[in-house]
Amino acid sequence: RLSSGRRRHREPEAEGCPPGVGGSMRCQQVSVLYFARSAELAGLRSETLSVPRQITSLQLWEEIVKVHPRLAVIQDQVILAVRQEYVLLGDQLLVLQPGDEVAIIPPISGG
């Protein structure tokens, strides 16, 4: 019975987490919200993904593109919002918590 309890504690390293991630790099479940063109390309408006707890904004984008390769076409135009704060794609280190919200915000054209 003890071994069953131990398995439950390992749950944050759920499927979808990049291979070889462990220790302080445990995975977190985050909510990803897709807006405008990103929702069209991904084929959905929201989902939950498992990503490393510590990750750069560019690596986070790359993890999302692995799940939805069609999003790659908007990489040069997209901005992320993590916990409702804008983040440019780059080497900015993010420390994610379970349930954090990541929004994919593509360019919005007027007219």
Side-chain angles (χ1 to χ4, degrees):
R1 289 188 182 189
L2 288 177
S3 63
S4 296
R6 288 182 183 160
R7 286 183 188 167
R8 288 185 190 145
H9 293 292
R10 298 186 76 163
E11 199 170 304
E13 296 179 357
E15 65 181 74
C17 190
V21 175
S24 64
M25 294 295 289
R26 269 200 180 128
C27 287
Q28 303 298 328
Q29 297 286 322
V30 296
S31 297
V32 182
L33 308 176
Y34 300 93
F35 293 95
R37 179 125 166 91
S38 68
E40 293 171 19
L41 293 169
L44 70 170
R45 294 192 175 274
S46 66
E47 68 183 327
T48 300
L49 294 179
S50 184
V51 296
R53 180 176 175 267
Q54 294 184 22
I55 190 169
T56 67
S57 55
L58 181 58
Q59 290 169 331
L60 177 58
W61 171 253
E62 290 169 348
E63 289 299 316
I64 294 167
V65 169
K66 282 181 192 174
V67 178
H68 303 288
R70 294 178 58 196
L71 290 172
V73 300
I74 61 171
Q75 178 170 331
D76 293 337
Q77 305 157 332
V78 76
I79 295 176
L80 302 180
V82 179
R83 294 183 297 272
Q84 299 183 359
E85 290 188 24
Y86 291 119
V87 177
L88 296 176
L89 298 186
D91 59 2
Q92 178 180 347
L93 184 64
L94 306 172
V95 180
L96 301 171
Q97 301 299 320
D100 273 355
E101 188 177 85
V102 176
I104 310 301
I105 305 170
I108 301 172
S109 59

